[in-house]
Short mmCIF file of all heavy atoms in Angstrom, two decimals:
data_model
loop_
_atom_site.label_atom_id
_atom_site.label_comp_id
_atom_site.label_asym_id
_atom_site.label_seq_id
_atom_site.Cartn_x
_atom_site.Cartn_y
_atom_site.Cartn_z
N ARG A 49 -18.81 267.65 78.52
CA ARG A 49 -18.57 267.30 79.92
C ARG A 49 -17.13 267.62 80.31
O ARG A 49 -16.86 268.16 81.39
CB ARG A 49 -18.87 265.82 80.15
CG ARG A 49 -20.37 265.51 80.09
CD ARG A 49 -20.64 264.03 80.10
NE ARG A 49 -20.31 263.41 81.37
CZ ARG A 49 -20.35 262.09 81.57
NH1 ARG A 49 -20.73 261.28 80.62
NH2 ARG A 49 -20.03 261.59 82.75
N PHE A 77 -10.15 270.75 75.06
CA PHE A 77 -11.00 269.70 74.47
C PHE A 77 -11.87 270.31 73.39
O PHE A 77 -12.43 271.38 73.57
CB PHE A 77 -11.88 269.08 75.56
CG PHE A 77 -11.08 268.52 76.69
CD1 PHE A 77 -10.89 269.27 77.86
CD2 PHE A 77 -10.49 267.28 76.59
CE1 PHE A 77 -10.12 268.77 78.90
CE2 PHE A 77 -9.71 266.78 77.62
CZ PHE A 77 -9.53 267.52 78.78
N LEU A 164 -0.65 251.06 78.93
CA LEU A 164 -1.19 251.40 80.26
C LEU A 164 -2.30 250.44 80.67
O LEU A 164 -2.95 249.84 79.82
CB LEU A 164 -1.70 252.84 80.28
CG LEU A 164 -2.87 253.26 79.38
CD1 LEU A 164 -4.20 252.79 79.91
CD2 LEU A 164 -2.88 254.77 79.23
N ARG A 165 -2.46 250.30 81.98
CA ARG A 165 -3.55 249.49 82.53
C ARG A 165 -4.59 250.40 83.13
O ARG A 165 -4.24 251.32 83.87
CB ARG A 165 -3.05 248.58 83.67
CG ARG A 165 -2.07 247.54 83.28
CD ARG A 165 -1.33 247.04 84.52
NE ARG A 165 -0.63 248.13 85.21
CZ ARG A 165 -0.13 248.07 86.43
NH1 ARG A 165 -0.25 246.98 87.15
NH2 ARG A 165 0.49 249.11 86.97
N THR A 227 -2.09 234.52 78.12
CA THR A 227 -1.67 233.11 78.24
C THR A 227 -1.25 232.80 79.67
O THR A 227 -1.58 231.75 80.23
CB THR A 227 -0.49 232.84 77.27
OG1 THR A 227 -0.91 233.17 75.95
CG2 THR A 227 -0.06 231.39 77.31
N MET A 235 -3.97 225.66 86.10
CA MET A 235 -3.28 225.06 87.26
C MET A 235 -4.20 225.08 88.49
O MET A 235 -4.20 224.15 89.30
CB MET A 235 -1.99 225.82 87.58
CG MET A 235 -0.88 225.61 86.59
SD MET A 235 -0.43 223.87 86.39
CE MET A 235 -0.90 223.60 84.70
N THR A 293 -1.22 231.00 65.29
CA THR A 293 -0.75 230.99 66.69
C THR A 293 -1.68 230.05 67.46
O THR A 293 -2.64 230.49 68.09
CB THR A 293 -0.84 232.40 67.28
OG1 THR A 293 -2.12 232.94 66.95
CG2 THR A 293 0.22 233.32 66.77
N ARG A 294 -1.36 228.75 67.38
CA ARG A 294 -2.30 227.76 67.95
C ARG A 294 -2.40 227.88 69.46
O ARG A 294 -3.44 227.61 70.06
CB ARG A 294 -1.90 226.36 67.50
CG ARG A 294 -2.26 226.21 66.01
CD ARG A 294 -1.78 224.94 65.40
NE ARG A 294 -2.04 223.78 66.23
CZ ARG A 294 -1.25 222.70 66.24
NH1 ARG A 294 -0.19 222.66 65.49
NH2 ARG A 294 -1.54 221.67 67.02
N GLN A 317 -22.24 225.04 94.51
CA GLN A 317 -22.17 225.48 95.90
C GLN A 317 -23.56 225.68 96.50
O GLN A 317 -23.74 225.64 97.70
CB GLN A 317 -21.33 226.77 95.98
CG GLN A 317 -20.78 227.10 97.33
CD GLN A 317 -19.75 226.06 97.82
OE1 GLN A 317 -19.35 225.16 97.09
NE2 GLN A 317 -19.37 226.18 99.07
N ASN A 337 -11.07 249.36 90.23
CA ASN A 337 -10.53 250.70 89.91
C ASN A 337 -10.78 251.14 88.49
O ASN A 337 -9.99 251.90 87.91
CB ASN A 337 -9.04 250.79 90.24
CG ASN A 337 -8.81 250.73 91.72
OD1 ASN A 337 -9.63 251.25 92.49
ND2 ASN A 337 -7.78 250.05 92.13
N ALA A 352 -25.83 233.71 82.85
CA ALA A 352 -25.88 232.25 83.02
C ALA A 352 -26.65 231.90 84.30
O ALA A 352 -27.45 230.95 84.32
CB ALA A 352 -24.47 231.66 83.06
N LEU A 353 -26.45 232.68 85.36
CA LEU A 353 -27.18 232.43 86.60
C LEU A 353 -28.67 232.69 86.41
O LEU A 353 -29.52 231.94 86.90
CB LEU A 353 -26.64 233.33 87.73
CG LEU A 353 -25.23 233.00 88.24
CD1 LEU A 353 -24.74 234.09 89.18
CD2 LEU A 353 -25.23 231.63 88.94
N GLU A 399 -12.57 242.12 92.54
CA GLU A 399 -11.91 242.27 93.85
C GLU A 399 -11.72 243.74 94.23
O GLU A 399 -10.60 244.18 94.53
CB GLU A 399 -10.59 241.49 93.88
CG GLU A 399 -9.48 242.00 92.97
CD GLU A 399 -9.55 241.57 91.52
OE1 GLU A 399 -10.66 241.40 90.99
OE2 GLU A 399 -8.48 241.43 90.91
N VAL A 432 -13.37 232.49 106.45
CA VAL A 432 -14.77 232.50 106.02
C VAL A 432 -15.51 231.31 106.64
O VAL A 432 -16.65 231.43 107.10
CB VAL A 432 -14.87 232.45 104.48
CG1 VAL A 432 -16.31 232.62 104.03
CG2 VAL A 432 -14.01 233.53 103.86
N SER A 440 -16.41 228.58 98.65
CA SER A 440 -15.55 228.02 97.61
C SER A 440 -14.79 229.15 96.94
O SER A 440 -15.25 230.29 96.88
CB SER A 440 -16.36 227.21 96.60
OG SER A 440 -16.84 228.03 95.57
#
Side-chain angles (χ1 to χ4, degrees):
R49 289 171 68 187
F77 303 97
L164 63 77
R165 296 162 301 166
T227 303
M235 288 303 115
T293 46
R294 287 173 46 211
Q317 199 65 7
N337 292 325
L353 290 171
E399 67 278 33
V432 187
S440 89

